[in-house]
C-alpha cells in the first residue's frame, strides 16, 4: 500500500474523492527496477497501471525488420501501461528502463472495478489518459518523422 497523499501529488488523482483515493492507495505498491530491464513487451497483459516516481523508461515499437525504434521516453510523473484501463488490457509497445526506476504499481482489475462503481473516478482517469495519449501520439509522430 502507498499513502493517499503520495497519489495526490499526481494530477491524475487530483479530482478524485478522498474515499476513492484511499481505496486506490490500498491497491498500490512501490516497485523498483534496475536500468536496462525490459518491463513489458507488446501484447503482454496490462495488469498494473504504473506512475513513474523516479527514473526513465524508453517506449519502443518493433518494426517489420525486427529493429526497435524508440518513440518516447517517460520520466517521473508519467503514466506507464495506460492500457491497464483501456480494453483489451494489453500493452501496446515495449517498455525498458534506461535508468534505475521506481514506480507506483496499481492493480488494474480492482482499479477498473472501482471505476465501474464510481463513474467519477472512471471519468477522471479516462480523461487524463486521453490527454496523455494525444500528447504521446504527437511525440511519436515527431520521432518517426525525424528518422
Amino acid at each position: 500500500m502507498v499513502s493517499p497523499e503520495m497519489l495526490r501529488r499526481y494530477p491524475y488523482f487530483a479530482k478524485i474523492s478522498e474515499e476513492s483515493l484511499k481505496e486506490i492507495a490500498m491497491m498500490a505498491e512501490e516497485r523498483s527496477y534496475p536500468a536496462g530491464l525490459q518491463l513489458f513487451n507488446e501484447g503482454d497483459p496490462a495488469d498494473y497501471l504504473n506512475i513513474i516516481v523516479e527514473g526513465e523508461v524508453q517506449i519502443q515499437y518493433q518494426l517489420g525488420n525486427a529493429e526497435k525504434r524508440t518513440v518516447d521516453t517517460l520520466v517521473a510523473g508519467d503514466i506507464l501501461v495506460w492500457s491497464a484501463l483501456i480494453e483489451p488490457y494489453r500493452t501496446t509497445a515495449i517498455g525498458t528502463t534506461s535508468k534505475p526506476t521506481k514506480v507506483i504499481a496499481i492493480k488494474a482489475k480492482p482499479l477498473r472495478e472501482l471505476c465501474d462503481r464510481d463513474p467519477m473516478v472512471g471519468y477522471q482517469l479516462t480523461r487524463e489518459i486521453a490527454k496523455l495519449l494525444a500528447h504521446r501520439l504527437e511525440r511519436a509522430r515527431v520521432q518517426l518523422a525525424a528518422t
Side-chain angles (χ1 to χ4, degrees):
M1 180 180 150
V2 301
S3 71
E5 294 77 29
M6 184 178 216
L7 292 174
R8 185 74 69 199
R9 295 179 197 161
Y10 300 98
Y12 322 109
F13 304 106
K15 295 182 180 178
I16 292 178
S17 73
E18 196 61 34
E19 181 180 317
S20 292
L21 197 63
K22 286 178 185 175
E23 209 173 324
I24 295 168
M26 303 253 319
M27 303 170 196
E29 63 187 21
E30 286 187 83
R31 294 183 176 177
S32 296
Y33 303 105
L37 180 68
Q38 185 173 311
L39 299 176
F40 52 87
N41 201 1
E42 185 176 351
D44 286 350
D47 295 329
Y48 289 87
L49 176 74
N50 298 279
I51 312 290
I52 299 175
V53 176
E54 60 186 52
E56 194 173 270
V57 177
Q58 300 290 319
I59 301 300
Q60 301 174 310
Y61 292 116
Q62 188 161 350
L63 304 178
N65 63 2
E67 174 192 351
K68 290 182 183 175
R69 177 86 40 97
T70 299
V71 295
D72 207 350
T73 301
L74 305 183
V75 297
D78 285 337
I79 287 181
L80 180 63
V81 190
W82 56 265
S83 48
L85 292 180
I86 309 295
E87 286 186 65
Y89 313 123
R90 297 220 168 260
T91 58
T92 59
I94 300 163
T96 305
T97 58
S98 52
K99 295 181 179 178
T101 300
K102 184 191 297 186
V103 302
I104 298 170
I106 305 168
K107 294 177 188 169
K109 189 169 192 258
L111 182 59
R112 292 190 303 260
E113 290 168 353
L114 173 61
C115 289
D116 288 342
R117 285 193 321 274
D118 185 342
M120 188 52 77
V121 171
Y123 170 73
Q124 291 299 332
L125 290 176
T126 302
R127 190 176 97 181
E128 290 298 324
I129 286 175
K131 289 193 294 190
L132 166 111
L133 289 176
H135 184 68
R136 287 193 188 160
L137 179 60
E138 184 58 30
R139 287 193 297 199
R141 284 183 182 152
V142 169
Q143 283 286 347
L144 291 173
T147 54

